Amino acid sequence: MFLHTHPYKPFLFPEATKLIVGTLPPPRFTMRDLKKGDVDFCYGSRDGQLWSILDRIFKLDLKFETTDEAIRQRMDFLKDKKIGICDIVESAERAKIDASDLGMNNIKLRNLVGYLKELPNVDTLLFTGGNSKNGPEYFFRKHLKTFNLGLNLVSDKIPRIYSFMLPDTQRTIKTVSLTAPSGAANRAVGSMEAYKKYKKENPDFNTLDFRILQYKAFF
């Protein structure tokens, strides 16, 4: 059994107004066996699309390589845009060493509510995935239940938007369940009516283009 621990601490700072919330990076980041093109930072997998999406939206000219400069570029961007990162999974066990969310067992969650109480300016959580089993929204709902809380629907249009009242405060925090920035979610994107509409209007439109449009509205 492989113990898949999160290799990065939450990237948090007092000025943050939004937090990106995912689950775990691929096991090779925990094993310190990165591939060419990986960045040794949150969402740094060469197979993921988050930084490619943000690179296109903000014209960042990011480097996609295992260097300190690539890390610095991402940290500078996040601080400039007041965006933190706090993946919700601290660790999980895997019978098979892969990046599948469904392959996680005996999962230990981070106390995201606790972090939020220490970050007075955060008003939005950006989930890198919806409420499918072992996705970030799914785990956050379980986390909220320990405080006898749930998410209240704000908009049922994809990406779905919810809100909740942070315990012991008067703060209402919004959550946005973005389409996952992974190749595994491309089939789901292809079945969406909104995507089909864009594709019909422009045959060159692809699943990355769709995510760029979606993410741009919330980043």
Side-chain angles (χ1 to χ4, degrees):
M1 189 69 66
F2 173 66
L3 179 61
H4 188 180
T5 58
H6 204 299
Y8 305 115
K9 294 180 180 179
F11 183 78
L12 304 173
F13 49 97
E15 297 80 13
T17 60
K18 300 175 183 177
L19 296 184
I20 301 170
V21 182
T23 53
L24 284 169
R28 68 177 182 273
F29 284 80
T30 300
M31 300 166 72
R32 312 308 301 154
D33 186 24
L34 276 62
K35 297 179 180 179
K36 183 179 180 181
D38 284 338
V39 179
D40 193 8
F41 187 64
C42 306
Y43 302 96
S45 171
R46 69 180 190 180
D47 305 312
Q49 297 178 325
L50 177 63
W51 286 111
S52 295
I53 293 167
L54 296 177
D55 192 40
R56 288 267 299 273
I57 292 172
F58 294 98
K59 298 179 173 58
L60 300 175
D61 195 24
L62 293 177
K63 293 183 179 298
F64 290 82
E65 57 192 25
T66 312
T67 63
D68 290 341
E69 183 178 359
I71 297 171
R72 179 190 55 76
Q73 286 181 321
R74 286 155 176 77
M75 287 183 171
D76 288 349
F77 164 77
L78 291 169
K79 287 185 177 179
D80 180 61
K81 297 299 181 183
K82 300 181 180 179
I83 301 170
I85 297 176
C86 189
D87 289 341
I88 193 165
V89 177
E90 181 64 37
S91 67
E93 291 182 350
R94 293 185 181 276
K96 180 181 179 182
I97 302 179
D98 61 20
S100 165
D101 281 344
L102 291 176
M104 294 189 290
N105 295 289
N106 296 325
I107 298 147
K108 180 181 178 182
L109 301 181
R110 286 173 168 168
N111 183 8
L112 187 49
V113 166
Y115 284 119
L116 289 171
K117 289 182 179 180
E118 297 174 2
L119 296 166
N121 297 307
V122 172
D123 58 22
T124 304
L125 302 182
L126 301 171
F127 295 134
T128 59
N131 194 32
S132 57
K133 186 177 180 181
N134 287 7
E137 181 196 319
Y138 173 88
F139 284 134
F140 188 68
R141 287 177 179 274
K142 290 187 68 174
H143 180 50
L144 283 182
K145 283 183 180 179
T146 64
F147 298 91
N148 295 316
L149 295 173
L151 293 178
N152 302 306
L153 183 64
V154 175
S155 172
D156 196 35
K157 181 180 178 181
I158 295 175
R160 291 184 176 87
I161 300 173
Y162 301 89
S163 69
F164 67 98
M165 182 72 74
L166 188 65
D168 305 318
T169 73
Q170 297 300 312
R171 290 165 59 195
T172 298
I173 295 180
K174 177 175 71 175
T175 73
V176 183
S177 300
L178 299 166
T179 300
S182 65
N186 284 344
R187 181 174 295 181
V189 174
S191 68
M192 294 179 184
E193 290 304 318
Y195 174 78
K196 291 177 181 178
K197 180 181 178 181
Y198 284 119
K199 188 72 171 177
K200 185 176 181 180
E201 294 172 353
N202 177 12
D204 293 328
F205 190 81
N206 58 40
T207 55
L208 181 61
D209 295 328
F210 181 80
R211 288 178 176 88
I212 288 169
L213 287 176
Q214 185 185 98
Y215 283 44
K216 188 175 182 179
F218 298 98
F219 277 88

